[in-house]
Amino acid sequence: DTAVSQTPKYLVTQMGNDKSIKCEQNLGHDTMYWYKQDSKKFLKIMFSYNNKELIINETVPNRFSPKSPDKAHLNLHINSLELGDSAVYFCASSQGVVSGANVLTFGAGSRLTVL
Amino acid sequence: AQSVTQLGSHVSVSEGALVLLRCNYSSSVPPYLFWYVQYPNQGLQLLLKYTTGATLVKGINGFEAEFKKSETSFHLTKPSAHMSDAAEYFCAVSFSGSARQLTFGSGTQLTVLP
């Protein structure tokens, strides 16, 4: 039973389209995250929610909008897709309040390709 | 500000040989340090972490790392490489009270040769 699951695993779309990536965790964790991994494999945090409340919102274009309907789900919606949005997006979760010592459990990633 | 540098984007070792993956960090406060591993087409998973206490940390799959404050390093080692160790390895740093979570290094691809 997958702990952190993301769908879709692969997403190929045209510039200008709107797309969503869904994430669910069955670990009972309180905090969920979205990370972006670029073509050089750099991982950077985008957003974090703790019990449905947005607590981390890095410098990300406002075309990206996270939504957390409950603490087990964190979805990422992207409007007006651009070529530079092509990347692998990872969902992750951790237990308890956000702390530097948190251990993250990652999903398998969603590879977005914008043509 | 904190940062992580992983020396060597690609490392190749023979099966049975020592694995050494290098990580140096920069942090203005005492760091928390992590190694994560990413197998092909999978998400990252924790290998080991250092928060406080013993500076030699043992992780899963026979890996260990030593926090050396004087050298600002947290190198990952394994005495004998196995074919199944082939993966991408990420070093990451954070610190107490951080709400920004982890700052990751750029990763090191480990290849194990038969």
PDB file of all heavy atoms in Angstrom, chain A residues 9 33 35 37 41-43 56 58 90 99-104 106-108, chain B residues 32 34 36 38 41 43-44 46 49 88 90 94-95 98-102 104 106:
ATOM      1  N   LYS A   9       1.552   9.992 -13.089  1.00  0.00           N
ATOM      2  CA  LYS A   9       2.994   9.787 -13.028  1.00  0.00           C
ATOM      3  C   LYS A   9       3.680  10.530 -14.164  1.00  0.00           C
ATOM      4  O   LYS A   9       4.784  11.047 -14.009  1.00  0.00           O
ATOM      5  CB  LYS A   9       3.302   8.296 -13.132  1.00  0.00           C
ATOM      6  CG  LYS A   9       4.726   7.913 -12.781  1.00  0.00           C
ATOM      7  CD  LYS A   9       4.875   6.409 -12.751  1.00  0.00           C
ATOM      8  CE  LYS A   9       6.315   5.995 -12.502  1.00  0.00           C
ATOM      9  NZ  LYS A   9       6.778   6.349 -11.162  1.00  0.00           N
ATOM     10  N   TYR A  33       3.966  18.523   1.397  1.00  0.00           N
ATOM     11  CA  TYR A  33       4.833  19.445   0.662  1.00  0.00           C
ATOM     12  C   TYR A  33       4.749  19.175  -0.838  1.00  0.00           C
ATOM     13  O   TYR A  33       4.487  18.053  -1.268  1.00  0.00           O
ATOM     14  CB  TYR A  33       6.302  19.240   1.055  1.00  0.00           C
ATOM     15  CG  TYR A  33       6.600  19.186   2.524  1.00  0.00           C
ATOM     16  CD1 TYR A  33       6.388  18.014   3.250  1.00  0.00           C
ATOM     17  CD2 TYR A  33       7.117  20.288   3.188  1.00  0.00           C
ATOM     18  CE1 TYR A  33       6.669  17.946   4.608  1.00  0.00           C
ATOM     19  CE2 TYR A  33       7.409  20.229   4.548  1.00  0.00           C
ATOM     20  CZ  TYR A  33       7.183  19.050   5.239  1.00  0.00           C
ATOM     21  OH  TYR A  33       7.470  19.004   6.594  1.00  0.00           O
ATOM     22  N   TYR A  35       7.593  19.639  -3.925  1.00  0.00           N
ATOM     23  CA  TYR A  35       8.950  19.979  -4.343  1.00  0.00           C
ATOM     24  C   TYR A  35       9.022  19.903  -5.864  1.00  0.00           C
ATOM     25  O   TYR A  35       8.344  19.088  -6.493  1.00  0.00           O
ATOM     26  CB  TYR A  35       9.969  18.988  -3.778  1.00  0.00           C
ATOM     27  CG  TYR A  35      10.414  19.262  -2.367  1.00  0.00           C
ATOM     28  CD1 TYR A  35       9.640  18.868  -1.284  1.00  0.00           C
ATOM     29  CD2 TYR A  35      11.622  19.907  -2.111  1.00  0.00           C
ATOM     30  CE1 TYR A  35      10.058  19.101   0.013  1.00  0.00           C
ATOM     31  CE2 TYR A  35      12.050  20.144  -0.815  1.00  0.00           C
ATOM     32  CZ  TYR A  35      11.259  19.742   0.242  1.00  0.00           C
ATOM     33  OH  TYR A  35      11.677  19.988   1.524  1.00  0.00           O
ATOM     34  N   GLN A  37      11.767  19.249  -8.973  1.00  0.00           N
ATOM     35  CA  GLN A  37      13.110  18.799  -9.341  1.00  0.00           C
ATOM     36  C   GLN A  37      13.353  19.151 -10.801  1.00  0.00           C
ATOM     37  O   GLN A  37      12.675  18.644 -11.689  1.00  0.00           O
ATOM     38  CB  GLN A  37      13.270  17.292  -9.121  1.00  0.00           C
ATOM     39  CG  GLN A  37      14.689  16.796  -9.345  1.00  0.00           C
ATOM     40  CD  GLN A  37      14.839  15.306  -9.069  1.00  0.00           C
ATOM     41  OE1 GLN A  37      14.026  14.499  -9.500  1.00  0.00           O
ATOM     42  NE2 GLN A  37      15.880  14.933  -8.333  1.00  0.00           N
ATOM     43  N   LYS A  41      18.424  18.049 -11.624  1.00  0.00           N
ATOM     44  CA  LYS A  41      18.124  17.279 -10.413  1.00  0.00           C
ATOM     45  C   LYS A  41      18.125  18.107  -9.137  1.00  0.00           C
ATOM     46  O   LYS A  41      18.117  17.541  -8.046  1.00  0.00           O
ATOM     47  CB  LYS A  41      19.044  16.065 -10.285  1.00  0.00           C
ATOM     48  CG  LYS A  41      18.932  15.102 -11.448  1.00  0.00           C
ATOM     49  CD  LYS A  41      18.960  13.679 -11.036  1.00  0.00           C
ATOM     50  CE  LYS A  41      18.620  12.774 -12.191  1.00  0.00           C
ATOM     51  NZ  LYS A  41      18.754  11.369 -11.896  1.00  0.00           N
ATOM     52  N   PHE A  42      18.158  19.437  -9.261  1.00  0.00           N
ATOM     53  CA  PHE A  42      18.011  20.265  -8.064  1.00  0.00           C
ATOM     54  C   PHE A  42      16.583  20.162  -7.550  1.00  0.00           C
ATOM     55  O   PHE A  42      15.625  20.300  -8.308  1.00  0.00           O
ATOM     56  CB  PHE A  42      18.334  21.730  -8.370  1.00  0.00           C
ATOM     57  CG  PHE A  42      19.781  22.053  -8.224  1.00  0.00           C
ATOM     58  CD1 PHE A  42      20.565  22.266  -9.341  1.00  0.00           C
ATOM     59  CD2 PHE A  42      20.369  22.154  -6.970  1.00  0.00           C
ATOM     60  CE1 PHE A  42      21.917  22.562  -9.213  1.00  0.00           C
ATOM     61  CE2 PHE A  42      21.718  22.456  -6.835  1.00  0.00           C
ATOM     62  CZ  PHE A  42      22.481  22.657  -7.960  1.00  0.00           C
ATOM     63  N   LEU A  43      16.473  19.940  -6.254  1.00  0.00           N
ATOM     64  CA  LEU A  43      15.164  19.856  -5.598  1.00  0.00           C
ATOM     65  C   LEU A  43      14.922  21.141  -4.828  1.00  0.00           C
ATOM     66  O   LEU A  43      15.755  21.563  -4.033  1.00  0.00           O
ATOM     67  CB  LEU A  43      15.144  18.708  -4.610  1.00  0.00           C
ATOM     68  CG  LEU A  43      14.750  17.352  -5.143  1.00  0.00           C
ATOM     69  CD1 LEU A  43      15.315  16.284  -4.269  1.00  0.00           C
ATOM     70  CD2 LEU A  43      13.241  17.217  -5.230  1.00  0.00           C
ATOM     71  N   ILE A  56       4.282  27.242   4.094  1.00  0.00           N
ATOM     72  CA  ILE A  56       5.441  27.603   3.294  1.00  0.00           C
ATOM     73  C   ILE A  56       4.949  27.919   1.894  1.00  0.00           C
ATOM     74  O   ILE A  56       4.223  27.137   1.284  1.00  0.00           O
ATOM     75  CB  ILE A  56       6.482  26.474   3.219  1.00  0.00           C
ATOM     76  CG1 ILE A  56       7.067  26.180   4.590  1.00  0.00           C
ATOM     77  CG2 ILE A  56       7.615  26.830   2.236  1.00  0.00           C
ATOM     78  CD1 ILE A  56       8.021  25.001   4.614  1.00  0.00           C
ATOM     79  N   GLU A  58       7.033  29.395  -1.166  1.00  0.00           N
ATOM     80  CA  GLU A  58       8.270  29.939  -1.703  1.00  0.00           C
ATOM     81  C   GLU A  58       7.968  30.823  -2.917  1.00  0.00           C
ATOM     82  O   GLU A  58       6.817  30.950  -3.339  1.00  0.00           O
ATOM     83  CB  GLU A  58       9.219  28.805  -2.076  1.00  0.00           C
ATOM     84  CG  GLU A  58       9.769  28.072  -0.865  1.00  0.00           C
ATOM     85  CD  GLU A  58      10.617  28.939   0.018  1.00  0.00           C
ATOM     86  OE1 GLU A  58      11.730  29.322  -0.402  1.00  0.00           O
ATOM     87  OE2 GLU A  58      10.179  29.255   1.140  1.00  0.00           O
ATOM     88  N   PHE A  90       7.506  16.480  -6.937  1.00  0.00           N
ATOM     89  CA  PHE A  90       7.415  15.482  -5.880  1.00  0.00           C
ATOM     90  C   PHE A  90       6.512  16.000  -4.755  1.00  0.00           C
ATOM     91  O   PHE A  90       6.682  17.115  -4.266  1.00  0.00           O
ATOM     92  CB  PHE A  90       8.786  15.170  -5.285  1.00  0.00           C
ATOM     93  CG  PHE A  90       9.641  14.309  -6.159  1.00  0.00           C
ATOM     94  CD1 PHE A  90      10.620  14.878  -6.954  1.00  0.00           C
ATOM     95  CD2 PHE A  90       9.480  12.934  -6.175  1.00  0.00           C
ATOM     96  CE1 PHE A  90      11.422  14.086  -7.759  1.00  0.00           C
ATOM     97  CE2 PHE A  90      10.282  12.137  -6.983  1.00  0.00           C
ATOM     98  CZ  PHE A  90      11.250  12.713  -7.780  1.00  0.00           C
ATOM     99  N   SER A  99       9.509  21.196  11.364  1.00  0.00           N
ATOM    100  CA  SER A  99      10.747  21.349  12.113  1.00  0.00           C
ATOM    101  C   SER A  99      11.879  20.954  11.199  1.00  0.00           C
ATOM    102  O   SER A  99      11.711  20.118  10.315  1.00  0.00           O
ATOM    103  CB  SER A  99      10.730  20.440  13.341  1.00  0.00           C
ATOM    104  OG  SER A  99      12.047  20.156  13.753  1.00  0.00           O
ATOM    105  N   GLY A 100      13.022  21.530  11.430  1.00  0.00           N
ATOM    106  CA  GLY A 100      14.168  21.186  10.608  1.00  0.00           C
ATOM    107  C   GLY A 100      14.543  19.731  10.694  1.00  0.00           C
ATOM    108  O   GLY A 100      15.225  19.208   9.813  1.00  0.00           O
ATOM    109  N   ALA A 101      14.093  19.043  11.719  1.00  0.00           N
ATOM    110  CA  ALA A 101      14.460  17.633  11.901  1.00  0.00           C
ATOM    111  C   ALA A 101      13.464  16.682  11.254  1.00  0.00           C
ATOM    112  O   ALA A 101      13.643  15.476  11.314  1.00  0.00           O
ATOM    113  CB  ALA A 101      14.582  17.311  13.391  1.00  0.00           C
ATOM    114  N   ASN A 102      12.416  17.221  10.647  1.00  0.00           N
ATOM    115  CA  ASN A 102      11.416  16.353  10.028  1.00  0.00           C
ATOM    116  C   ASN A 102      12.032  15.426   8.997  1.00  0.00           C
ATOM    117  O   ASN A 102      12.856  15.851   8.186  1.00  0.00           O
ATOM    118  CB  ASN A 102      10.341  17.188   9.319  1.00  0.00           C
ATOM    119  CG  ASN A 102       9.413  17.903  10.276  1.00  0.00           C
ATOM    120  OD1 ASN A 102       8.892  18.953   9.948  1.00  0.00           O
ATOM    121  ND2 ASN A 102       9.203  17.340  11.443  1.00  0.00           N
ATOM    122  N   VAL A 103      11.584  14.179   9.004  1.00  0.00           N
ATOM    123  CA  VAL A 103      11.950  13.240   7.948  1.00  0.00           C
ATOM    124  C   VAL A 103      10.805  13.226   6.956  1.00  0.00           C
ATOM    125  O   VAL A 103       9.651  13.041   7.332  1.00  0.00           O
ATOM    126  CB  VAL A 103      12.184  11.834   8.521  1.00  0.00           C
ATOM    127  CG1 VAL A 103      12.394  10.829   7.384  1.00  0.00           C
ATOM    128  CG2 VAL A 103      13.390  11.845   9.453  1.00  0.00           C
ATOM    129  N   LEU A 104      11.127  13.433   5.704  1.00  0.00           N
ATOM    130  CA  LEU A 104      10.106  13.475   4.675  1.00  0.00           C
ATOM    131  C   LEU A 104       9.941  12.126   4.010  1.00  0.00           C
ATOM    132  O   LEU A 104      10.917  11.422   3.737  1.00  0.00           O
ATOM    133  CB  LEU A 104      10.483  14.507   3.614  1.00  0.00           C
ATOM    134  CG  LEU A 104      10.043  15.953   3.885  1.00  0.00           C
ATOM    135  CD1 LEU A 104      10.675  16.496   5.129  1.00  0.00           C
ATOM    136  CD2 LEU A 104      10.346  16.827   2.688  1.00  0.00           C
ATOM    137  N   PHE A 106       8.567  10.723   0.508  1.00  0.00           N
ATOM    138  CA  PHE A 106       8.278  11.257  -0.818  1.00  0.00           C
ATOM    139  C   PHE A 106       7.418  10.297  -1.633  1.00  0.00           C
ATOM    140  O   PHE A 106       7.512   9.071  -1.504  1.00  0.00           O
ATOM    141  CB  PHE A 106       9.574  11.488  -1.589  1.00  0.00           C
ATOM    142  CG  PHE A 106      10.342  12.704  -1.158  1.00  0.00           C
ATOM    143  CD1 PHE A 106      11.179  12.668  -0.068  1.00  0.00           C
ATOM    144  CD2 PHE A 106      10.217  13.897  -1.863  1.00  0.00           C
ATOM    145  CE1 PHE A 106      11.889  13.801   0.330  1.00  0.00           C
ATOM    146  CE2 PHE A 106      10.919  15.027  -1.475  1.00  0.00           C
ATOM    147  CZ  PHE A 106      11.760  14.977  -0.372  1.00  0.00           C
ATOM    148  N   GLY A 107       6.627  10.898  -2.510  1.00  0.00           N
ATOM    149  CA  GLY A 107       5.979  10.122  -3.549  1.00  0.00           C
ATOM    150  C   GLY A 107       6.962   9.826  -4.666  1.00  0.00           C
ATOM    151  O   GLY A 107       8.110  10.278  -4.632  1.00  0.00           O
ATOM    152  N   ALA A 108       6.502   9.093  -5.662  1.00  0.00           N
ATOM    153  CA  ALA A 108       7.375   8.656  -6.745  1.00  0.00           C
ATOM    154  C   ALA A 108       7.604   9.731  -7.806  1.00  0.00           C
ATOM    155  O   ALA A 108       8.419   9.549  -8.701  1.00  0.00           O
ATOM    156  CB  ALA A 108       6.807   7.397  -7.401  1.00  0.00           C
TER     157      ALA A 108
ATOM    158  N   TYR B  32      21.052  20.406  10.882  1.00  0.00           N
ATOM    159  CA  TYR B  32      20.588  19.035  10.790  1.00  0.00           C
ATOM    160  C   TYR B  32      20.993  18.559   9.396  1.00  0.00           C
ATOM    161  O   TYR B  32      20.822  19.289   8.413  1.00  0.00           O
ATOM    162  CB  TYR B  32      19.072  18.948  10.931  1.00  0.00           C
ATOM    163  CG  TYR B  32      18.524  19.339  12.283  1.00  0.00           C
ATOM    164  CD1 TYR B  32      17.217  19.806  12.407  1.00  0.00           C
ATOM    165  CD2 TYR B  32      19.284  19.244  13.442  1.00  0.00           C
ATOM    166  CE1 TYR B  32      16.687  20.161  13.638  1.00  0.00           C
ATOM    167  CE2 TYR B  32      18.765  19.599  14.677  1.00  0.00           C
ATOM    168  CZ  TYR B  32      17.468  20.059  14.766  1.00  0.00           C
ATOM    169  OH  TYR B  32      16.950  20.422  15.987  1.00  0.00           O
ATOM    170  N   PHE B  34      21.133  15.341   6.406  1.00  0.00           N
ATOM    171  CA  PHE B  34      20.413  14.170   5.919  1.00  0.00           C
ATOM    172  C   PHE B  34      21.078  13.639   4.644  1.00  0.00           C
ATOM    173  O   PHE B  34      21.660  14.403   3.865  1.00  0.00           O
ATOM    174  CB  PHE B  34      18.963  14.535   5.546  1.00  0.00           C
ATOM    175  CG  PHE B  34      18.155  15.170   6.637  1.00  0.00           C
ATOM    176  CD1 PHE B  34      18.337  16.498   6.979  1.00  0.00           C
ATOM    177  CD2 PHE B  34      17.198  14.434   7.312  1.00  0.00           C
ATOM    178  CE1 PHE B  34      17.581  17.100   7.978  1.00  0.00           C
ATOM    179  CE2 PHE B  34      16.429  15.020   8.318  1.00  0.00           C
ATOM    180  CZ  PHE B  34      16.625  16.347   8.649  1.00  0.00           C
ATOM    181  N   TYR B  36      19.487  11.324   1.512  1.00  0.00           N
ATOM    182  CA  TYR B  36      18.363  10.643   0.902  1.00  0.00           C
ATOM    183  C   TYR B  36      18.864   9.905  -0.337  1.00  0.00           C
ATOM    184  O   TYR B  36      19.796  10.352  -1.014  1.00  0.00           O
ATOM    185  CB  TYR B  36      17.280  11.633   0.474  1.00  0.00           C
ATOM    186  CG  TYR B  36      16.385  12.136   1.590  1.00  0.00           C
ATOM    187  CD1 TYR B  36      16.792  13.168   2.435  1.00  0.00           C
ATOM    188  CD2 TYR B  36      15.117  11.576   1.793  1.00  0.00           C
ATOM    189  CE1 TYR B  36      15.963  13.630   3.453  1.00  0.00           C
ATOM    190  CE2 TYR B  36      14.288  12.038   2.803  1.00  0.00           C
ATOM    191  CZ  TYR B  36      14.709  13.059   3.632  1.00  0.00           C
ATOM    192  OH  TYR B  36      13.887  13.515   4.640  1.00  0.00           O
ATOM    193  N   GLN B  38      17.555   8.096  -4.075  1.00  0.00           N
ATOM    194  CA  GLN B  38      16.483   8.016  -5.064  1.00  0.00           C
ATOM    195  C   GLN B  38      16.817   6.918  -6.057  1.00  0.00           C
ATOM    196  O   GLN B  38      17.752   7.046  -6.856  1.00  0.00           O
ATOM    197  CB  GLN B  38      16.317   9.359  -5.787  1.00  0.00           C
ATOM    198  CG  GLN B  38      15.169   9.386  -6.767  1.00  0.00           C
ATOM    199  CD  GLN B  38      15.016  10.732  -7.472  1.00  0.00           C
ATOM    200  OE1 GLN B  38      15.950  11.529  -7.530  1.00  0.00           O
ATOM    201  NE2 GLN B  38      13.849  10.984  -8.006  1.00  0.00           N
ATOM    202  N   ASN B  41      13.026   6.028 -11.026  1.00  0.00           N
ATOM    203  CA  ASN B  41      11.563   6.135 -11.114  1.00  0.00           C
ATOM    204  C   ASN B  41      10.871   6.028  -9.759  1.00  0.00           C
ATOM    205  O   ASN B  41       9.710   5.606  -9.686  1.00  0.00           O
ATOM    206  CB  ASN B  41      10.997   5.079 -12.065  1.00  0.00           C
ATOM    207  CG  ASN B  41      11.521   5.256 -13.467  1.00  0.00           C
ATOM    208  OD1 ASN B  41      11.557   6.374 -13.987  1.00  0.00           O
ATOM    209  ND2 ASN B  41      11.976   4.179 -14.074  1.00  0.00           N
ATOM    210  N   GLY B  43      10.515   7.912  -5.617  1.00  0.00           N
ATOM    211  CA  GLY B  43      10.748   9.099  -4.812  1.00  0.00           C
ATOM    212  C   GLY B  43      11.963   8.922  -3.922  1.00  0.00           C
ATOM    213  O   GLY B  43      12.549   7.846  -3.853  1.00  0.00           O
ATOM    214  N   LEU B  44      12.334   9.993  -3.245  1.00  0.00           N
ATOM    215  CA  LEU B  44      13.476   9.926  -2.345  1.00  0.00           C
ATOM    216  C   LEU B  44      13.090   9.211  -1.060  1.00  0.00           C
ATOM    217  O   LEU B  44      11.957   9.323  -0.585  1.00  0.00           O
ATOM    218  CB  LEU B  44      13.949  11.342  -1.985  1.00  0.00           C
ATOM    219  CG  LEU B  44      14.736  12.091  -3.038  1.00  0.00           C
ATOM    220  CD1 LEU B  44      13.852  12.575  -4.165  1.00  0.00           C
ATOM    221  CD2 LEU B  44      15.456  13.277  -2.392  1.00  0.00           C
ATOM    222  N   LEU B  46      14.772   8.261   2.980  1.00  0.00           N
ATOM    223  CA  LEU B  46      15.818   8.617   3.927  1.00  0.00           C
ATOM    224  C   LEU B  46      16.797   7.463   4.119  1.00  0.00           C
ATOM    225  O   LEU B  46      16.401   6.324   4.356  1.00  0.00           O
ATOM    226  CB  LEU B  46      15.194   8.986   5.272  1.00  0.00           C
ATOM    227  CG  LEU B  46      16.182   9.406   6.353  1.00  0.00           C
ATOM    228  CD1 LEU B  46      16.723  10.806   6.045  1.00  0.00           C
ATOM    229  CD2 LEU B  46      15.532   9.369   7.724  1.00  0.00           C
ATOM    230  N   LYS B  49      20.168  10.361   9.127  1.00  0.00           N
ATOM    231  CA  LYS B  49      20.151  11.775   9.465  1.00  0.00           C
ATOM    232  C   LYS B  49      20.972  12.019  10.727  1.00  0.00           C
ATOM    233  O   LYS B  49      21.136  11.137  11.579  1.00  0.00           O
ATOM    234  CB  LYS B  49      18.726  12.287   9.668  1.00  0.00           C
ATOM    235  CG  LYS B  49      18.043  11.780  10.930  1.00  0.00           C
ATOM    236  CD  LYS B  49      16.697  12.475  11.117  1.00  0.00           C
ATOM    237  CE  LYS B  49      16.054  12.050  12.436  1.00  0.00           C
ATOM    238  NZ  LYS B  49      14.751  12.759  12.663  1.00  0.00           N
ATOM    239  N   GLU B  88      20.671   7.566  -7.182  1.00  0.00           N
ATOM    240  CA  GLU B  88      21.053   8.976  -7.002  1.00  0.00           C
ATOM    241  C   GLU B  88      20.999   9.275  -5.514  1.00  0.00           C
ATOM    242  O   GLU B  88      20.022   8.923  -4.839  1.00  0.00           O
ATOM    243  CB  GLU B  88      20.075   9.884  -7.756  1.00  0.00           C
ATOM    244  CG  GLU B  88      20.462  11.339  -7.789  1.00  0.00           C
ATOM    245  CD  GLU B  88      21.335  11.697  -8.983  1.00  0.00           C
ATOM    246  OE1 GLU B  88      21.280  10.967  -9.992  1.00  0.00           O
ATOM    247  OE2 GLU B  88      22.066  12.705  -8.901  1.00  0.00           O
ATOM    248  N   PHE B  90      21.290  12.161  -2.436  1.00  0.00           N
ATOM    249  CA  PHE B  90      21.150  13.585  -2.154  1.00  0.00           C
ATOM    250  C   PHE B  90      21.498  13.873  -0.700  1.00  0.00           C
ATOM    251  O   PHE B  90      20.967  13.231   0.204  1.00  0.00           O
ATOM    252  CB  PHE B  90      19.721  14.064  -2.409  1.00  0.00           C
ATOM    253  CG  PHE B  90      19.308  14.050  -3.848  1.00  0.00           C
ATOM    254  CD1 PHE B  90      18.702  12.933  -4.402  1.00  0.00           C
ATOM    255  CD2 PHE B  90      19.520  15.160  -4.650  1.00  0.00           C
ATOM    256  CE1 PHE B  90      18.319  12.915  -5.741  1.00  0.00           C
ATOM    257  CE2 PHE B  90      19.133  15.153  -5.982  1.00  0.00           C
ATOM    258  CZ  PHE B  90      18.538  14.030  -6.524  1.00  0.00           C
ATOM    259  N   SER B  94      19.278  21.254   7.055  1.00  0.00           N
ATOM    260  CA  SER B  94      18.247  22.084   7.636  1.00  0.00           C
ATOM    261  C   SER B  94      18.762  22.524   9.004  1.00  0.00           C
ATOM    262  O   SER B  94      19.912  22.260   9.347  1.00  0.00           O
ATOM    263  CB  SER B  94      16.937  21.296   7.759  1.00  0.00           C
ATOM    264  OG  SER B  94      15.917  22.127   8.260  1.00  0.00           O
ATOM    265  N   PHE B  95      17.938  23.182   9.788  1.00  0.00           N
ATOM    266  CA  PHE B  95      18.366  23.546  11.132  1.00  0.00           C
ATOM    267  C   PHE B  95      17.152  23.695  12.028  1.00  0.00           C
ATOM    268  O   PHE B  95      16.012  23.802  11.553  1.00  0.00           O
ATOM    269  CB  PHE B  95      19.220  24.817  11.128  1.00  0.00           C
ATOM    270  CG  PHE B  95      18.582  26.009  10.474  1.00  0.00           C
ATOM    271  CD1 PHE B  95      17.781  26.884  11.196  1.00  0.00           C
ATOM    272  CD2 PHE B  95      18.782  26.257   9.123  1.00  0.00           C
ATOM    273  CE1 PHE B  95      17.195  27.968  10.588  1.00  0.00           C
ATOM    274  CE2 PHE B  95      18.199  27.357   8.507  1.00  0.00           C
ATOM    275  CZ  PHE B  95      17.407  28.210   9.246  1.00  0.00           C
ATOM    276  N   SER B  98      13.543  25.481  11.708  1.00  0.00           N
ATOM    277  CA  SER B  98      13.345  25.853  10.311  1.00  0.00           C
ATOM    278  C   SER B  98      11.941  25.516   9.855  1.00  0.00           C
ATOM    279  O   SER B  98      11.469  24.412  10.055  1.00  0.00           O
ATOM    280  CB  SER B  98      14.350  25.124   9.429  1.00  0.00           C
ATOM    281  OG  SER B  98      13.992  25.258   8.076  1.00  0.00           O
ATOM    282  N   ALA B  99      11.305  26.467   9.248  1.00  0.00           N
ATOM    283  CA  ALA B  99      10.026  26.187   8.613  1.00  0.00           C
ATOM    284  C   ALA B  99      10.215  26.041   7.116  1.00  0.00           C
ATOM    285  O   ALA B  99       9.257  25.873   6.382  1.00  0.00           O
ATOM    286  CB  ALA B  99       9.042  27.304   8.908  1.00  0.00           C
ATOM    287  N   ARG B 100      11.469  26.112   6.684  1.00  0.00           N
ATOM    288  CA  ARG B 100      11.737  26.063   5.247  1.00  0.00           C
ATOM    289  C   ARG B 100      12.157  24.682   4.806  1.00  0.00           C
ATOM    290  O   ARG B 100      12.465  24.453   3.666  1.00  0.00           O
ATOM    291  CB  ARG B 100      12.826  27.077   4.884  1.00  0.00           C
ATOM    292  CG  ARG B 100      12.335  28.500   4.912  1.00  0.00           C
ATOM    293  CD  ARG B 100      11.318  28.749   3.817  1.00  0.00           C
ATOM    294  NE  ARG B 100      10.735  30.073   3.872  1.00  0.00           N
ATOM    295  CZ  ARG B 100       9.599  30.350   4.492  1.00  0.00           C
ATOM    296  NH1 ARG B 100       8.951  29.403   5.108  1.00  0.00           N
ATOM    297  NH2 ARG B 100       9.132  31.573   4.496  1.00  0.00           N
ATOM    298  N   GLN B 101      12.202  23.741   5.740  1.00  0.00           N
ATOM    299  CA  GLN B 101      12.598  22.378   5.426  1.00  0.00           C
ATOM    300  C   GLN B 101      13.991  22.311   4.829  1.00  0.00           C
ATOM    301  O   GLN B 101      14.853  23.099   5.121  1.00  0.00           O
ATOM    302  CB  GLN B 101      11.551  21.701   4.542  1.00  0.00           C
ATOM    303  CG  GLN B 101      10.419  21.121   5.365  1.00  0.00           C
ATOM    304  CD  GLN B 101      10.910  20.141   6.413  1.00  0.00           C
ATOM    305  OE1 GLN B 101      11.694  19.254   6.138  1.00  0.00           O
ATOM    306  NE2 GLN B 101      10.471  20.315   7.646  1.00  0.00           N
ATOM    307  N   LEU B 102      14.149  21.384   3.940  1.00  0.00           N
ATOM    308  CA  LEU B 102      15.482  20.986   3.538  1.00  0.00           C
ATOM    309  C   LEU B 102      16.008  21.793   2.355  1.00  0.00           C
ATOM    310  O   LEU B 102      15.280  22.123   1.431  1.00  0.00           O
ATOM    311  CB  LEU B 102      15.460  19.514   3.141  1.00  0.00           C
ATOM    312  CG  LEU B 102      15.003  18.553   4.237  1.00  0.00           C
ATOM    313  CD1 LEU B 102      14.694  17.200   3.637  1.00  0.00           C
ATOM    314  CD2 LEU B 102      16.067  18.443   5.299  1.00  0.00           C
ATOM    315  N   PHE B 104      18.579  20.971  -0.508  1.00  0.00           N
ATOM    316  CA  PHE B 104      19.209  19.784  -1.066  1.00  0.00           C
ATOM    317  C   PHE B 104      20.449  20.144  -1.875  1.00  0.00           C
ATOM    318  O   PHE B 104      20.519  21.216  -2.494  1.00  0.00           O
ATOM    319  CB  PHE B 104      18.225  19.057  -1.989  1.00  0.00           C
ATOM    320  CG  PHE B 104      17.180  18.261  -1.282  1.00  0.00           C
ATOM    321  CD1 PHE B 104      15.969  18.833  -0.924  1.00  0.00           C
ATOM    322  CD2 PHE B 104      17.391  16.928  -0.979  1.00  0.00           C
ATOM    323  CE1 PHE B 104      14.998  18.089  -0.279  1.00  0.00           C
ATOM    324  CE2 PHE B 104      16.424  16.175  -0.330  1.00  0.00           C
ATOM    325  CZ  PHE B 104      15.227  16.760   0.027  1.00  0.00           C
ATOM    326  N   SER B 106      22.913  18.897  -5.164  1.00  0.00           N
ATOM    327  CA  SER B 106      22.549  18.617  -6.555  1.00  0.00           C
ATOM    328  C   SER B 106      22.561  17.131  -6.882  1.00  0.00           C
ATOM    329  O   SER B 106      22.246  16.748  -8.008  1.00  0.00           O
ATOM    330  CB  SER B 106      23.488  19.359  -7.499  1.00  0.00           C
ATOM    331  OG  SER B 106      24.832  19.018  -7.201  1.00  0.00           O
TER     332      SER B 106
END
